[in-house]
Amino acid sequence: MERKDYTLGIILIFIGVMFFLLNLNVLTFNWVLLILAIAFLGAYIYKRQMGYLASGLVLLAIAIVSLIDDYTFTNVNIKGFVFLWIIGIISLFMYSKYRTKGYLVFGCILPAIGTYTLIDELYYGDTFWVLFLFLALAFYIIYGVDYRKYGVTWPRTLSIIMIVLSLLFLLSSKTVVQFKFWKFISYLWPILLVIIGIRIVYNMNKLNK
C-alpha cells in the first residue's frame, strides 16, 4: 500500500473510532470535531497536502465556536463573532502563504463584521453605524497592505464611502438629521455607483495610454 493510502486509512479509522465514542456518549459532538480537526492538522504537517489543512482549519473553527458558546457567555451569543474571526484569521494565514488578494479581502472584512455582531449583542442601542465604520477600517487595511503598491484605489474609495455612510447612520440614530434618511440613501447610492464607475473607466483609460 502506498504511503498516501496508509495515511488516509489511518484517518478513516480515527474518524470511525471518534464517532463510535460519540455513540457511546463518551464524547460530545463538539469535542469529536475538535479532535478530528487536530488529526487533520497533524496529517497536514505529515503530508503537506492542502486538503488536510483546509479540512482541519474549518473543523477547528466550528469546534472552537461551539465549545466556547457551550461553556462561556451563556447570556451572549458569540458564535458569529468567534466564527467570523477564526475564518478571517485563516484567510489572512492563507494570504500570507499564497498572496492571493481574495484571502486578504475576506481576512479583513469577516473580522470587521464579526466584531460588529459582538457589539450588537452587548449594546442594546442603535449600532448599525458601527458596522460601516469597521468596514471602512477593513477596506483601508486592504488598500494599505496590498492594493496601494499597485496603484489600485477602489478599496480606499470604498473606505471613504463607508465612513460617510457610518456618519449618516450615526446622525440618523441620534435624530440630528431631520429628513427621510432612507429616501436620501436611495438617491445617494446610485450616484456613488456612477462615481465609482467613472473612476474605474478613467483609471482603465489611463492605464491603456
Side-chain angles (χ1 to χ4, degrees):
M1 183 180 289
E2 295 180 0
R3 192 177 182 183
K4 180 179 179 181
D5 295 333
Y6 183 72
T7 303
L8 181 60
I10 290 177
I11 291 177
L12 292 176
I13 293 171
F14 189 75
I15 292 174
V17 171
M18 288 297 101
F19 278 92
F20 182 73
L21 293 175
L22 176 65
N23 291 332
L24 293 176
N25 295 322
V26 176
L27 295 172
T28 64
F29 184 71
N30 293 334
W31 282 105
V32 168
L33 288 181
L34 180 61
I35 295 171
L36 289 177
I38 295 172
F40 274 109
L41 292 175
Y44 167 74
I45 294 173
Y46 180 65
K47 297 293 293 183
R48 294 295 176 181
Q49 292 184 1
M50 289 305 300
Y52 292 134
L53 177 62
S55 300
L57 291 176
V58 170
L59 289 175
L60 183 64
I62 297 172
I64 291 176
V65 169
S66 300
L67 288 170
I68 290 177
D69 192 61
D70 286 343
Y71 293 103
T72 60
F73 302 105
T74 54
N75 296 324
V76 179
N77 183 7
I78 64 166
K79 281 187 177 181
F81 166 73
V82 177
F83 184 76
L84 290 173
W85 261 94
I86 291 175
I87 298 299
I89 292 171
I90 292 172
S91 297
L92 290 176
F93 170 77
M94 299 298 286
Y95 168 75
S96 68
K97 190 174 181 65
Y98 297 103
R99 294 297 170 181
T100 302
K101 292 181 175 61
Y103 289 130
L104 175 63
V105 173
F106 280 109
C108 293
I109 291 178
L110 292 181
I113 298 174
T115 304
Y116 164 72
T117 62
L118 179 63
I119 291 175
D120 191 52
E121 281 285 332
L122 297 174
Y123 184 69
Y124 294 102
D126 188 353
T127 60
F128 197 52
W129 63 275
V130 178
L131 173 61
F132 292 96
L133 185 62
F134 283 138
L135 287 176
L137 179 61
F139 279 117
Y140 195 80
I141 292 174
I142 292 168
Y143 168 72
V145 170
D146 194 296
Y147 286 86
R148 183 177 184 178
K149 57 189 174 186
Y150 299 107
V152 179
T153 59
W154 69 261
R156 185 181 63 183
T157 303
L158 281 178
S159 178
I160 295 171
I161 293 173
M162 292 297 110
I163 290 175
V164 172
L165 290 176
S166 177
L167 290 173
L168 289 174
F169 274 103
L170 176 61
L171 293 174
S172 178
S173 67
K174 301 299 182 182
T175 65
V176 175
V177 183
Q178 301 296 327
F179 57 81
K180 294 181 179 179
F181 180 70
W182 289 110
K183 187 174 182 180
F184 172 75
I185 292 297
S186 69
Y187 284 101
L188 176 64
W189 74 264
I191 296 174
L192 293 176
L193 288 179
V194 171
I195 293 173
I196 294 172
I198 292 173
R199 183 64 182 270
I200 292 173
V201 171
Y202 172 77
N203 289 338
M204 292 299 295
N205 185 55
K206 189 176 180 180
L207 289 173
N208 291 330
K209 287 184 178 180

